[in-house]
């Protein structure tokens, strides 16, 4: 549960979610990750450190380049946790659909012409 808490905490900020989205295209430098944001590099680095602490981003070194890469393993626990809620909503929507079909059949039967 501790991993899930860190993952959810890291995903709570929209800038961090956008950084993760950008990393799905492949490793990027902090400067490349900072491009779309109206934030200073230190501010973007702070968000990246939060993602690193949650295990969602790794950094490597290639000469002067320190690329950030997506590490999606912690998302697995989040996905498992959300799976229960997905099943809940699917079952709720199935029950709603069944009820709507019952109401629709009842309305059709009421509207059918009677033979007198």
């Amino acid at each position: 549960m501790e991993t899930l808490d860190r993952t959810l905490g890291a995903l709570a900020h929209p800038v961090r979610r956008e950084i993760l989205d950008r990393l799905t295209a492949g490793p990027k430098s902090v400067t490349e990750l900072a491009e779309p944001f109206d934030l200073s590099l230190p501010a973007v680095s702070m968000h990246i450190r939060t993602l690193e602490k949650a295990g969602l981003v790794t950094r490597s070194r290639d000469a002067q380049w320190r690329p950030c890469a997506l590490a999606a393993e912690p998302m697995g626990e989040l996905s498992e946790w959300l799976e229960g809620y997905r099943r809940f909503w699917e079952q709720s929507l199935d029950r709603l659909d069944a009820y709507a079909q019952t109401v629709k059949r009842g309305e059709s039967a009421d509207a059918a012409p009677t033979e007198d």
Side-chain angles (χ1 to χ4, degrees):
M1 196 60 135
E2 188 175 312
T3 301
L4 181 60
D5 292 344
R6 280 193 308 261
T7 302
L8 288 171
L11 295 175
H13 198 285
V15 168
R16 293 193 286 264
R17 291 193 302 270
E18 177 66 26
I19 288 170
L20 291 176
D21 287 346
R22 292 175 54 80
L23 288 173
T24 60
K28 295 190 180 345
S29 69
V30 173
T31 302
E32 291 170 320
L33 290 170
E35 285 174 4
F37 305 111
D38 189 22
L39 297 172
S40 66
L41 283 178
V44 172
S45 290
M46 179 194 69
H47 287 297
I48 292 170
R49 278 194 301 277
T50 299
L51 292 168
E52 280 184 286
K53 287 179 185 172
L56 294 165
V57 167
T58 61
R59 286 197 214 193
S60 59
R61 181 175 290 278
D62 183 9
Q64 298 297 315
W65 194 50
R66 291 202 63 205
C68 298
L70 179 65
E73 291 82 12
M75 296 283 202
E77 187 176 340
L78 175 60
S79 179
E80 287 176 24
W81 183 72
L82 289 172
E83 179 62 22
Y85 291 96
R86 186 188 63 77
R87 282 193 303 270
F88 167 79
W89 282 110
E90 282 182 0
Q91 291 168 355
S92 296
L93 291 172
D94 287 346
R95 286 193 301 270
L96 178 61
D97 185 51
Y99 176 73
Q101 294 297 325
T102 301
V103 169
K104 187 176 178 180
R105 281 192 299 270
E107 289 176 355
S108 295
D110 291 343
T114 57
E115 296 180 25
D116 290 327

